Amino acid sequence: MAYKVAVVGATGVVGREMLNILHERNFPVSEVVPLASRRSVGKDAHFGNQKIKVKALDDYDFRGVDIALFSAGGATSKEWAPRVAAQGAVVIDNSSQWRMDPDVPLIVPEVNADAIAGYTKKGIIANPNCSTAQLVVALKPLHDRATIKRVVVSTYQSVSGAGNDGVTELERQTKAILVNDPVEKQKFTKQIAFNVIPHIDVFMDDGFTKEEWKMTAETKKILDPKIKLTATCVRVPVFIGHSEAVNIEFEQPISADEAREILSSAPGVQVLDRREPGGYITPLECAGDYNTFVSRIREDFTVENGLAMWVVSDNLRKGAALNAVQIAEELAARHLKKQAA
């Protein structure tokens, strides 16, 4: 079977990556429709070697579309996802709009693919936050073995997580500093070039940012509501790739060697953990890869049954576009074929 797929937000960094990955993974498409706002109408979107003209979301009739991949922000998803689903397409949404809706499954296929079946309630499936996706891929096999009690995670998130504007701001500020021009900030609250900013998304009443809250709430929904998690999310001057320093406390004993062995055979995970200079992964090396990489696996002796590790992934891929396409693959294999039959 082949499916008609619409990509909403096709001119953004994640939308473009969705088109790339649909092609790379040979997703069975009968037609791909790139959609965006009116100001992008007529621009070229790329699907392999094909150039496809971008159409306006406001004018598009979704009847006949099987799957709609959304990466156009929460306001657009709030307005359009129910309307698109009502016309018969299954929406896979990359924004935060639907993630905590109890009638919308929040999916990382390596972790909870069975929950995709819940899409029938609203016709919408949610993609998690980019930092959550890579984290739960690494946590799931360890949780299955020794049951996680508590996680403390510090993130080091690239500017592409803030979209095209974030990438442009890092480029512009870096060039300005190198030629001694004034540094202007627009997207971020402080200079991002040659700096780090411990602030992603809005502040909440308890002092955490919404990005930190997302990691906690989404991990509970995807993996296990009993897990306690606290996060500190930091923006760093890296173009692509989110990194995470993760400390885990388990209910049962688990050694670093056992964790390394478990993760080495886990779906979507690649372990690179040599205890020598350069024997670990960095965001520069993960860019463009599908895997979530785990390094620096070691026992944390400050708690009983503790481990520490370093987790890195391409935030535009596993953190967003790849995960959405993997959801589409599972949806097509498990559910859409059955409907057609």
Side-chain angles (χ1 to χ4, degrees), residues 141-149 249-254:
L142 301 178
H143 184 57
D144 288 346
R145 161 60 184 83
T147 309
I148 294 170
K149 291 173 60 178
E249 184 180 358
F250 296 88
E251 291 186 5
Q252 290 88 40
I254 182 171

Side-chain angles (χ1 to χ4, degrees), residues 14-157:
V14 174
R16 292 198 300 267
E17 201 67 14
M18 286 173 170
L19 290 168
N20 290 337
I21 293 172
L22 284 167
H23 183 264
E24 286 176 7
R25 293 175 70 87
N26 295 313
F27 187 83
V29 297
S30 59
E31 184 181 353
V32 174
V33 183
L35 300 168
S37 64
R38 291 185 187 279
R39 65 178 179 271
S40 295
V41 170
K43 291 183 178 179
D44 288 329
H46 296 269
F47 182 69
N49 293 325
Q50 298 179 49
K51 288 184 180 180
I52 312 171
K53 295 297 182 183
V54 174
K55 299 180 180 181
L57 170 62
D58 289 349
D59 301 331
Y60 193 71
D61 185 345
F62 281 85
R63 285 175 293 184
V65 173
D66 299 297
I67 299 170
L69 304 179
F70 270 63
S71 186
T76 299
S77 293
K78 182 178 181 179
E79 178 183 357
W80 281 94
R83 293 164 65 176
V84 172
Q87 293 186 61
V90 180
V91 173
I92 300 173
D93 180 43
N94 193 56
S95 80
S96 61
Q97 175 61 42
W98 302 99
R99 291 175 187 160
M100 301 315 298
D101 188 313
D103 292 331
V104 174
L106 180 62
I107 301 296
V108 176
E110 296 92 336
V111 178
N112 64 338
D114 289 346
I116 289 174
Y119 83 93
T120 54
K121 293 179 180 178
K122 286 192 172 179
I124 302 170
I125 302 170
N127 215 32
N129 182 274
C130 45
S131 48
T132 303
Q134 68 186 64
L135 178 65
V136 296
V137 167
L139 293 182
K140 167 66 173 173
L142 301 178
H143 184 57
D144 288 346
R145 161 60 184 83
T147 309
I148 294 170
K149 291 173 60 178
R150 181 173 182 258
V151 179
V152 179
V153 55
S154 296
T155 72
Y156 308 82
Q157 295 178 224

Side-chain angles (χ1 to χ4, degrees), residues 110 137-138 263 265-270 290-293 313 318 326:
E110 296 92 336
V137 167
L263 290 168
S265 59
V269 177
Q270 185 170 336
Y290 286 164
N291 286 308
T292 294
F293 292 87
S313 191
K318 186 55 191 172
Q326 288 177 307

Side-chain angles (χ1 to χ4, degrees), residues 242-265:
H242 287 359
S243 306
E244 298 171 346
V246 187
N247 289 72
I248 315 164
E249 184 180 358
F250 296 88
E251 291 186 5
Q252 290 88 40
I254 182 171
S255 69
D257 287 341
E258 186 177 4
R260 197 174 294 108
E261 182 178 350
I262 290 168
L263 290 168
S264 294
S265 59

Side-chain angles (χ1 to χ4, degrees), residues 176-202:
I177 290 168
L178 293 177
V179 298
N180 203 31
D181 281 348
V183 174
E184 297 179 357
K185 58 181 187 293
Q186 295 176 346
K187 179 66 178 179
F188 300 115
T189 56
K190 291 181 181 286
Q191 176 185 309
I192 184 60
F194 304 96
N195 196 19
V196 300
I197 304 172
H199 171 199
I200 300 177
D201 213 323
V202 298

